[in-house]
Amino acid sequence: MLARQLAVHGRRRTARVEDFELALRSYGLQMPIGALTRSLPSLRQLRMPGGEQLCIREDADLDVPALTQPPQVKVPVKRHIRVHWIRVDSEEEPPPEKKAKKILQGSEMFSNDIPAALRKKIQVPSETAAPSISYRLAAQGVPKKEQILIKPSFVEPLSVEQQVYLKEIVEACVGQDDRKRQQALQSLERDTGIQVLLPRLSRLIYTSIRCNVVHRCLSMLIYVVRMMRAVAVNKAVKLDGVLHEFLPSLMSCMLGRVLCTRPESDNHWALRDFAGKTLITIIK
């Protein structure tokens, strides 16, 4: 009743949502969820020549091309055909796998009469074999990918003298004194007891090459490759256990994109050539 009174007070024939909202608010109630007010039509005022004002509705703009064009229907990109067995003379045709298995069972050759080594190589007749069966049989002879595990080299404990020798050799090879460097390289070429030091020396060379390639230190790379050359020339040393560290180091020095800070002026080609010759020495 209160909403009706509000509508009459507002000189409206019918009650609106606002009237019900005001009536409920006067009773201390909230408006139920979902009650919305319909938007009023937009009006435009026109002034007539006689001074009168005329209110008219604004014309709504319509998109004519969108109305004239039919809606686009999505067409499937590609058809998918699935093979399925059918019924012939009220009998269900078995799938290709069961059909091939039934033919093998009905043949004269039984799997028990065949040696165990040849049981997996039984070929299904081509006229009755399904494509899936033929593919599986052909895939049996394809080599599979296997993960290669590198056996870590055995690191023997070093004595105090060997530790001091290794420290002095490395410091002399990368130091500033040319005379000591030549003596250290000659020691690596001729010493017959380097095999015990080889795992630690190989790890040191590998780490040094990786760090200096990142920092683009050309001089240190040349010094380390000289050490590798001296070890490779030594006839008393076997490099079988450290090739997984020597070869990547040499390949990095040969094929690295940037090995120095100034490629235009620094002679990085000498390092690449020397690393290639060292690799040839190891392969021989």
Side-chain angles (χ1 to χ4, degrees), residues 37-51:
T37 306
R38 187 175 62 179
S39 59
L40 297 176
S42 58
L43 301 177
R44 183 175 57 178
Q45 293 182 358
L46 296 179
R47 187 175 296 276
M48 303 301 292

Side-chain angles (χ1 to χ4, degrees), residues 5 78 127-128 147 161:
Q5 293 177 4
K78 186 179 179 181
E127 62 272 11
T128 58
Q147 185 179 4
E161 293 80 5

Side-chain angles (χ1 to χ4, degrees), residues 209-218 221 258-261:
I209 289 288
R210 183 175 59 181
C211 295
N212 288 287
V213 166
V214 174
H215 293 288
R216 301 177 182 178
C217 185
L218 183 62
L221 289 174
V258 181
L259 299 176
C260 54
T261 56

Side-chain angles (χ1 to χ4, degrees), residues 48-226:
M48 303 301 292
E52 300 177 354
Q53 291 184 355
L54 181 63
C55 297
I56 61 174
R57 291 186 178 181
E58 293 184 354
D59 297 332
D61 297 332
L62 298 178
D63 190 4
V64 178
L67 297 176
T68 55
Q69 294 179 359
Q72 297 181 358
V73 182
K74 292 184 178 180
V75 181
V77 180
K78 186 179 179 181
R79 295 182 179 180
H80 298 276
I81 301 176
R82 183 179 178 183
V83 182
H84 199 275
W85 59 88
I86 59 176
R87 288 181 175 270
V88 180
D89 297 335
S90 300
E91 294 183 1
E92 184 177 353
E93 184 72 14
E97 292 83 0
K98 294 183 179 179
K99 188 174 182 180
K101 186 177 180 180
K102 186 176 180 181
I103 293 175
L104 285 177
Q105 291 178 355
S107 61
E108 298 179 357
M109 184 181 296
F110 297 96
S111 59
N112 296 329
D113 301 335
I114 303 175
L118 300 177
R119 288 177 186 175
K120 295 184 179 180
K121 298 183 179 180
I122 299 176
Q123 299 292 337
V124 183
S126 58
E127 62 272 11
T128 58
S132 59
I133 298 296
S134 302
Y135 176 76
R136 292 176 186 175
L137 294 176
Q140 289 181 358
V142 178
K144 299 181 180 179
K145 294 183 179 180
E146 297 181 359
Q147 185 179 4
I148 300 176
L149 301 178
I150 300 176
K151 183 179 179 180
S153 57
F154 178 71
V155 181
E156 298 181 1
L158 300 180
S159 61
V160 179
E161 293 80 5
Q162 291 174 341
Q163 295 178 15
V164 173
Y165 173 78
L166 181 61
K167 177 177 176 295
E168 295 293 337
I169 285 292
V170 173
E171 289 180 355
C173 288
V174 299
Q176 300 295 332
D177 194 347
D178 293 338
R179 185 178 59 84
K180 290 185 178 180
R181 186 184 306 111
Q182 293 297 330
Q183 293 178 358
L185 293 176
Q186 290 178 4
S187 177
L188 290 176
E189 292 177 3
R190 301 173 183 177
D191 197 347
T192 57
I194 303 180
Q195 188 67 37
V196 182
L197 308 175
L198 190 59
R200 288 183 172 84
L201 185 61
S202 171
R203 173 56 59 178
L204 178 64
I205 291 174
Y206 176 78
T207 307
S208 179
I209 289 288
R210 183 175 59 181
C211 295
N212 288 287
V213 166
V214 174
H215 293 288
R216 301 177 182 178
C217 185
L218 183 62
S219 59
M220 290 298 297
L221 289 174
I222 294 176
Y223 294 155
V224 176
V225 174
R226 285 182 180 178

